[in-house]
Amino acid sequence: MLSKRSLLSLLSRPSGRFGSRAFGYSRDHRSDRPQIVIGLLCTSDGIPVAHHVFAGNTNDATTLSGVLGDLAERFAVGRICVVADRGLISAANVSAVTEAGFDHLLATRLRRDAVAAQALAAIDEDTAWVDIAQHSCRAADIFLADGTRTVVVESDARVRRDTARTAEIVAATEAKLSGLEDRVRAGRVEDPAKIGAAAQRILATVGAGRLFDVEIGEGRFLYHYNEDAHTYEELLAGRYVLATSLTPNQADTAQVVGYYRQLAAVEARFRVLKDHLRLRPVRHWTEQRVRGHVAVCVYAAIIETLINHALTQADIRDPDIGNQHLTAARALRDLNRIRRHQLTVNSRRIGLTTRRSPLQARTLTAIGADTRTWDNPTIT
């Protein structure tokens, strides 16, 4: 079972009749808009099985306990594994998952998590890496001193990307700090408060603050590398860390990575909800109608997922992208070109259907559409 959260912006209206409407952290960078929080639970192959609507100012990490309780009450589930990203991690959540009798597989907060730091520090020349060609990466099991099982995942592409990004941040930040140092040395800035404010603006760049240390005094400014931070960045380059309660007998290294990568299916469902199914903006102003709107969109997402699975099983490829299966959105756009025409000739009505293209015919067969009544014209 996979879990994920998303925030959806709403239009601005008084919130008296709509208790879930609230301002909160917006992933759409629209802090000026109120929103709701949606929780979506999916099977491992991306089929939505349940959803929840929370107030827009709800912290993601506070929702998991209630969702697990609802899951256990509504479904006759056996032992399952909750897979979640960094937004849901907290000690309370891990305890809630364990107390509910579920296993967990969670991505760690890389730069703010002791488990991740310990796992990365434990890597050495004897670490046994497993190549996972399916996901273009390699991974290694690392067991911590307290028995926690972690899986460190890395790939060459991510190493190159992260290393280049860090080098870019360091070079740009160092140039600005050097400029500030020159201005202070020349006496153009002497007040420690002003020097500190200027340094803070420079170090506000994402990732820069942790990589440098500064010394500030009256007419004095020095900067130097934070060696510990740079060492950790080198360990972290191209890697992420998963923590799980699954034993190697329950899931080997490659399977753990595969289970985590299935979160991409949940991400895909949210993209479908937001874009293809046009869940937002929500144009209702009462709690019941907003919840109904979300429910209808989730039901549509289930149908969209099943269509995708049918197209994949039938191995129907996108004619414009040969190495990709036809998506439900692309298939529905293509099927929308089929028309039923009614012609009136004297007193007779003739019904004709657009001749289907080979791709349309294969798509309809794959999704189990009964087209027998389309094959011949009707005359009344």
Side-chain angles (χ1 to χ4, degrees):
M1 186 72 66
L2 310 177
S3 59
K4 179 65 181 174
R5 302 291 179 268
S6 181
L7 305 174
L8 301 178
S9 296
L10 302 174
L11 297 180
S12 179
R13 282 287 183 87
S15 59
R17 292 181 298 163
F18 183 16
S20 295
R21 176 186 180 277
F23 289 93
Y25 171 72
S26 173
R27 288 185 175 87
D28 299 324
H29 308 292
R30 291 302 306 267
S31 58
D32 61 317
R33 293 290 183 93
Q35 60 190 13
I36 57 175
V37 175
I38 293 179
L40 185 66
L41 279 79
C42 297
T43 62
S44 58
D45 51 1
I47 300 176
V49 294
H51 74 279
H52 299 263
V53 176
F54 303 98
N57 57 359
T58 303
N59 184 304
D60 289 0
T62 65
T63 62
L64 188 58
S65 179
V67 168
L68 290 178
D70 178 72
L71 177 65
E73 182 178 345
R74 292 171 56 192
F75 300 97
V77 295
R79 189 171 182 85
I80 64 173
C81 181
V82 176
V83 184
D85 62 13
R86 297 170 180 84
L88 294 179
I89 293 178
S90 70
N93 281 345
V94 174
S95 297
V97 172
T98 303
E99 290 171 5
F102 301 150
D103 285 305
H104 65 267
L105 198 174
L106 307 173
T108 61
R109 288 187 172 94
L110 296 175
R111 294 183 176 85
R112 292 178 294 165
D113 189 274
V115 169
Q118 291 174 48
L120 292 171
I123 295 173
D124 56 28
E125 63 274 6
D126 296 325
T127 299
W129 293 93
V130 177
D131 288 324
I132 308 175
Q134 179 183 358
H135 300 298
S136 302
C137 67
R138 53 187 167 271
D141 261 302
I142 304 291
F143 287 87
L144 305 186
D146 63 358
T148 299
R149 182 191 182 191
T150 66
V151 175
V152 179
V153 187
E154 71 173 19
S155 70
D156 293 333
R158 289 175 64 97
V159 169
R160 290 192 295 269
R161 182 199 67 187
D162 292 352
T163 301
R165 176 58 178 158
T166 299
E168 178 184 331
I169 291 174
V170 169
T173 304
E174 188 168 14
K176 294 177 181 178
L177 291 174
S178 179
L180 175 59
E181 190 176 53
D182 291 341
R183 293 199 303 275
V184 173
R185 186 181 297 114
R188 294 198 294 271
V189 184
E190 296 183 350
D191 184 356
K194 292 183 179 180
I195 296 173
Q200 182 58 42
R201 286 194 296 271
I202 295 171
L203 296 176
T205 302
V206 176
R210 64 177 175 271
L211 297 175
F212 292 90
D213 290 328
V214 298
E215 299 178 20
I216 298 172
E218 183 70 33
R220 178 173 174 270
F221 175 73
L222 296 173
Y223 72 90
H224 50 84
Y225 292 139
N226 183 319
E227 297 297 341
D228 290 340
H230 276 269
T231 299
Y232 191 70
E233 287 298 312
E234 292 175 0
L235 281 175
L236 193 58
R239 295 170 173 166
Y240 59 90
V241 181
L242 307 174
T244 182
S245 62
L246 294 171
T247 67
N249 289 333
Q250 292 174 310
D252 62 27
T253 306
Q255 288 174 321
V256 168
V257 175
Y259 294 157
Y260 178 69
R261 290 294 184 94
Q262 288 170 354
L263 273 180
V266 186
E267 296 281 2
R269 296 287 72 74
F270 270 105
R271 287 194 295 272
V272 167
L273 282 170
K274 294 177 181 179
D275 301 327
H276 179 49
L277 299 179
R278 299 179 182 177
L279 175 56
R280 58 182 181 180
V282 180
R283 301 184 185 277
H284 302 285
W285 311 111
T286 65
E287 188 83 22
Q288 183 177 9
R289 289 188 176 184
V290 169
R291 290 177 179 272
H293 171 80
V294 173
V296 169
C297 289
V298 172
Y299 297 150
I302 295 172
I303 296 172
E304 187 270 348
T305 306
L306 295 176
I307 292 175
N308 270 323
H309 287 185
L311 295 172
T312 299
Q313 290 175 358
D315 195 28
I316 300 178
R317 303 281 173 164
D318 190 312
D320 300 321
I321 311 174
N323 62 347
Q324 178 177 302
H325 285 103
L326 193 68
T327 64
R330 172 73 166 80
L332 292 173
R333 285 198 303 270
D334 193 47
L335 293 177
N336 194 43
R337 298 190 180 96
I338 299 176
R339 293 289 186 270
R340 180 70 175 173
H341 302 281
Q342 293 288 342
L343 306 178
T344 301
V345 180
N346 295 326
S347 60
R348 294 187 302 175
R349 290 184 178 180
I350 304 174
L352 299 172
T353 303
T354 305
R355 180 176 297 175
R356 300 186 296 278
S357 69
L359 179 60
Q360 289 170 336
R362 290 188 64 201
T363 300
L364 290 168
T365 300
I367 64 177
D370 185 355
T371 62
R372 288 174 294 179
T373 58
W374 301 2
D375 292 335
N376 298 304
T378 60
I379 301 176
T380 59

